[in-house]
Amino acid sequence: MDTVTRSRSSARRVQGPQRSSLIPRGRGAGALRSAIHRVLTTDEIVRYIMAFLVSPTYMFYNMGRGGLSSLAALAATCSALSEPALEILWRQLDNFEPVGLLWDIVRSAQGPKTVAPVYSQRLMKYASYVREIVIHSGDVPEPFLALSPQAIFPSLRRLHWVLESEAKIQHFAQFAVPGLRSLCIDLYSSDVDDISLFYRMETRPVEDPLLVNTLIDGLRAAQAARTTLDSLEIFWLNAPSFSRSPDFLNLLMPFKHLKTLALELQIIAGTPRALEMLSTLPHLAHLTLQNRGKFDMVSSRLQFHPARSGFDALRSLSLHLSPCHVYSILSNFPKRSLENCTTRFIGGATEPAQRAITELVMTKLVGRTTQFLSLDFQDGDDADLHSERGLFASVSPSILPLLCTRDLVQVEIGCVDPEAITDRMCSEFAKAWPQLRVLNLRPQPSWTEDVKENLLSSMVTLRALRIFAEGCPHLSYLNITLNAVGNHWANEAQHLRQIHSRQPVTLSLGESQITHPDAVAMYLSRCFSPIPVLDYGTYVAPLGRYVGHRSRASIGWERVSALLLAGSRGRN
């Protein structure tokens, strides 16, 4: 029995007596089959269904299983479904392996003489579907590189080229096809995995001329292919000094369509006019400068010329650097009101440094159009190292009032010492940010497991939630670690008027301490209507279960959530 016959037999078995009244008989049955056939031969509907199989929603609820295997099964079902299934299946590849397997079959030339041409055609067909691919240097066979990848990947839009530590350096210039829009280069130039050993290295890694030439040649090839790159990202772990900084920037200037640019600071640090040059890119909207290397730990000063104008299209700036380099860049940056501003510091910062940088951010980059502001004075992975140096491992409380000089919509501050945020400070926030939608006060990593009892008296309390509910009517998300200990919340709730929110508010309360869930639930029900969505501990709401350890605080907040839900159902 062939596949089609088996499928029809299965379909007849599904149509049991309980559904017979719903399915037309005689001519009606034929009409139904005809309607189903028309639906499954409608290209738009079929592609929508298949795209859903690899969507984040489907993959999340199926724990990452079934999407690709389902597409592969559909591709082998019939010719009508094969083409759209293969197109989606091959659209985005996480590695070169699928292409390499077909290439090995073509190169082996074993079996009948017709095998190699058939697989060669199949290779060309499948590769033409590829829009995005991740290629690890050393994984591509040299004979393949000798061909013309431009002809093999004619539809390529995004290339992510990865060089692992000690891997063979291969050129990626051959993949610079005219349609390429996004290029991401990931370089791991050190085999030092222990971060503490990494920071104690006495010498900077030596520049590899072959690697630098590969990077430069790749940009030249993209320029020669007349690609209209709109995104270029270069991430370089433990990067050495970059001697060809001027060459790189000169090659970058012709890419006038660039909208997103992410670079390691080492790449531009050797060119004093770097900021001036970047400011002339007419469509640059998102700029990221970062350092994931020893360079930030060296006491070197940047010698950038000030960019007095330019960056006209810039909407977001992200700096992940040491405090001295952040200050140097901001000091030479033109005044612009950005939509998004993110500053994350490597190595910790003294209180004067935090104040000076925060003042620059608020006066130069935050304005009427600013939607999102993120200040993180602690690189969480290196907390122990920073504390050893006597540097601030969290936000200094003295900078918090500086943030209240502008009306902000979305604010992220980390790492926050729980005792630095008080009910009074939250009142100041609510007055300064009446349009606030998202407030993320990320606590120090050392406090997320358990807040010490001797700090509870000085911490922010449930009253802060009431303050935000009254003063920020647009609030939709609040992440805060607070003190909800005590039974007095029930008595306070009796004297509060009901606040009606415009939308449900998500409260991410982490390991906030709680002792009387019933009293807390009563208090929250008076502050938020509709009831808030609670995110606490390691509970994953869509899955309806906990992942990992359930703490005593998580159990208490679970009880609060159940009481709020029961009360809401009772009112309805």
Side-chain angles (χ1 to χ4, degrees):
M1 183 182 296
D2 59 21
T3 304
V4 175
T5 305
R6 284 198 300 271
S7 300
R8 290 175 178 172
S9 299
S10 300
R12 283 194 292 271
R13 286 196 296 271
V14 169
Q15 298 171 4
Q18 70 276 14
R19 300 184 63 185
S20 59
S21 60
L22 301 177
I23 300 177
R25 297 185 178 277
R27 295 180 181 179
L32 179 61
R33 286 195 297 270
S34 177
I36 294 174
H37 178 75
R38 286 197 302 273
V39 168
L40 294 180
T41 53
T42 303
D43 185 69
E44 183 178 356
I45 295 177
V46 170
R47 290 179 186 276
Y48 179 84
I49 295 172
M50 293 183 177
F52 178 74
L53 294 176
V54 292
S55 66
T57 301
Y58 181 88
M59 299 296 280
F60 178 81
Y61 283 102
N62 288 274
M63 303 298 289
R65 298 188 298 268
L68 296 179
S69 59
S70 299
L71 280 176
L74 287 171
T77 300
C78 65
S79 58
L81 300 179
S82 177
E83 190 76 13
L86 286 172
E87 185 175 334
I88 296 176
L89 193 63
W90 283 79
R91 178 182 297 170
Q92 183 176 345
L93 299 183
D94 294 332
N95 53 63
F96 188 78
E97 185 178 1
V99 180
L101 291 174
L102 283 175
W103 172 254
D104 290 341
I105 295 175
V106 173
R107 293 284 293 175
S108 63
Q110 296 176 358
K113 294 182 179 180
T114 56
V115 171
V118 168
Y119 277 95
S120 179
Q121 294 175 7
R122 188 171 296 177
L123 169 64
M124 301 295 287
K125 178 181 178 181
Y126 292 174
S128 68
Y129 294 140
V130 177
R131 300 293 189 275
E132 303 179 18
I133 188 169
V134 179
I135 296 180
H136 290 253
S137 183
D139 287 356
V140 183
E142 292 297 333
F144 185 90
L145 289 175
L147 297 177
S148 175
Q150 290 95 331
I152 297 177
F153 296 111
S155 304
L156 190 63
R157 294 294 180 268
R158 174 176 170 81
L159 171 63
H160 186 178
W161 187 74
V162 181
L163 175 63
E164 300 283 0
S165 176
E166 298 184 352
K168 179 181 179 181
I169 299 177
Q170 290 183 311
H171 286 271
F172 63 91
Q174 295 91 326
F175 298 93
V177 298
L180 192 66
R181 295 293 180 270
S182 176
L183 176 60
C184 180
I185 303 171
D186 234 329
L187 306 177
Y188 299 89
S189 62
S190 173
D191 58 357
V192 179
D193 296 325
D194 189 322
I195 194 68
S196 62
L197 292 177
F198 169 69
Y199 281 121
R200 292 184 176 91
M201 291 173 61
E202 296 297 331
T203 59
R204 185 183 301 174
V206 179
E207 182 179 72
D208 186 339
L210 177 57
L211 178 57
V212 173
N213 289 336
T214 299
L215 180 61
I216 296 295
D217 290 345
L219 282 181
R220 282 184 177 145
Q223 189 181 120
R226 299 182 182 277
T227 61
T228 54
L229 280 181
D230 58 29
S231 176
L232 174 62
E233 300 169 294
I234 302 178
F235 304 107
W236 199 336
L237 177 63
N238 195 15
S241 57
F242 193 76
S243 61
R244 300 189 64 181
S245 176
D247 294 338
F248 175 85
L249 285 167
N250 287 329
L251 284 172
L252 192 63
M253 290 303 99
F255 293 103
K256 300 297 184 183
H257 293 85
L258 272 180
K259 296 179 181 178
T260 300
L261 180 63
L263 297 175
E264 296 293 323
L265 186 62
Q266 291 92 318
I267 294 177
I268 66 170
T271 306
R273 295 187 58 247
L275 290 180
E276 285 184 283
M277 297 174 73
L278 295 179
S279 71
T280 63
L281 292 172
H283 299 290
L284 186 61
H286 310 283
L287 176 62
T288 298
L289 297 175
Q290 63 177 12
N291 250 318
R292 299 186 297 168
K294 177 74 174 179
F295 184 79
D296 258 355
M297 292 305 173
V298 178
S299 58
S300 57
R301 292 182 178 274
L302 297 177
Q303 301 295 328
F304 287 142
H305 295 170
R308 304 188 187 282
S309 61
F311 292 113
D312 296 328
L314 196 65
R315 294 167 50 196
S316 70
L317 175 65
S318 179
L319 302 176
H320 186 183
L321 307 165
S322 69
C324 64
H325 293 149
V326 170
Y327 185 83
S328 178
I329 290 174
L330 292 180
S331 297
N332 294 291
F333 212 83
K335 187 174 182 179
R336 286 287 177 270
S337 178
L338 304 180
E339 291 182 10
N340 301 289
C341 181
T342 301
T343 305
R344 188 180 183 193
F345 299 91
I346 298 176
T350 63
E351 182 174 4
Q354 290 193 24
R355 286 188 60 85
I357 291 171
T358 304
E359 288 173 354
L360 278 175
V361 169
M362 299 304 292
T363 56
K364 278 199 166 187
L365 305 180
V366 176
R368 183 175 51 84
T369 61
T370 302
Q371 298 291 311
F372 173 70
L373 173 64
S374 175
L375 292 175
D376 193 343
F377 291 91
Q378 166 68 48
D379 194 346
D381 297 334
D382 315 322
D384 294 336
L385 292 170
H386 299 157
S387 60
E388 288 176 6
R389 297 188 180 94
L391 299 174
F392 268 84
S394 62
V395 173
S396 170
S398 65
I399 75 158
L400 296 178
L402 299 176
L403 305 180
C404 297
T405 58
R406 294 287 190 277
D407 185 5
L408 299 172
V409 176
Q410 184 173 345
V411 182
E412 178 179 289
I413 308 173
C415 296
V416 178
D417 190 332
E419 62 179 342
I421 304 296
T422 62
D423 290 344
R424 182 177 179 180
M425 191 71 252
C426 289
S427 179
E428 295 298 320
F429 287 159
K431 291 177 182 178
W433 307 330
Q435 304 301 317
L436 185 69
R437 296 181 182 274
V438 175
L439 178 58
N440 188 357
L441 301 174
R442 293 191 295 103
Q444 287 179 289
S446 57
W447 298 110
T448 54
E449 291 297 327
D450 186 24
V451 181
K452 292 184 177 180
E453 293 185 3
N454 61 345
L455 291 179
L456 289 177
S457 61
S458 61
M459 285 177 57
V460 66
T461 69
L462 286 177
R463 298 184 188 94
L465 302 184
R466 175 88 183 176
I467 291 170
F468 284 117
E470 289 180 329
C472 305
H474 304 284
L475 187 68
S476 61
Y477 177 84
L478 175 61
N479 178 13
I480 192 169
T481 300
L482 48 77
N483 171 15
V485 172
N487 193 32
H488 59 283
W489 301 113
N491 294 329
E492 289 194 28
Q494 295 177 359
H495 303 286
L496 298 177
R497 66 176 180 85
Q498 180 69 60
I499 298 178
H500 296 279
S501 310
R502 297 189 178 185
Q503 66 280 318
V505 179
T506 298
L507 301 178
S508 182
L509 303 175
E511 289 294 316
S512 298
Q513 299 299 287
I514 181 173
T515 55
H516 295 77
D518 296 51
V520 172
M522 185 179 299
Y523 189 90
L524 290 181
S525 67
R526 303 297 294 172
C527 297
F528 299 98
S529 178
I531 62 172
V533 179
L534 297 186
D535 179 11
Y536 43 88
T538 52
Y539 184 78
V540 182
L543 299 181
R545 63 174 181 268
Y546 280 87
V547 177
H549 172 68
R550 290 180 67 188
S551 66
R552 183 174 61 181
S554 296
I555 296 173
W557 288 109
E558 181 182 7
R559 171 65 176 166
V560 172
S561 184
L563 290 170
L564 288 173
L565 186 60
S568 175
R569 288 172 177 171
R571 287 191 296 271
N572 294 335

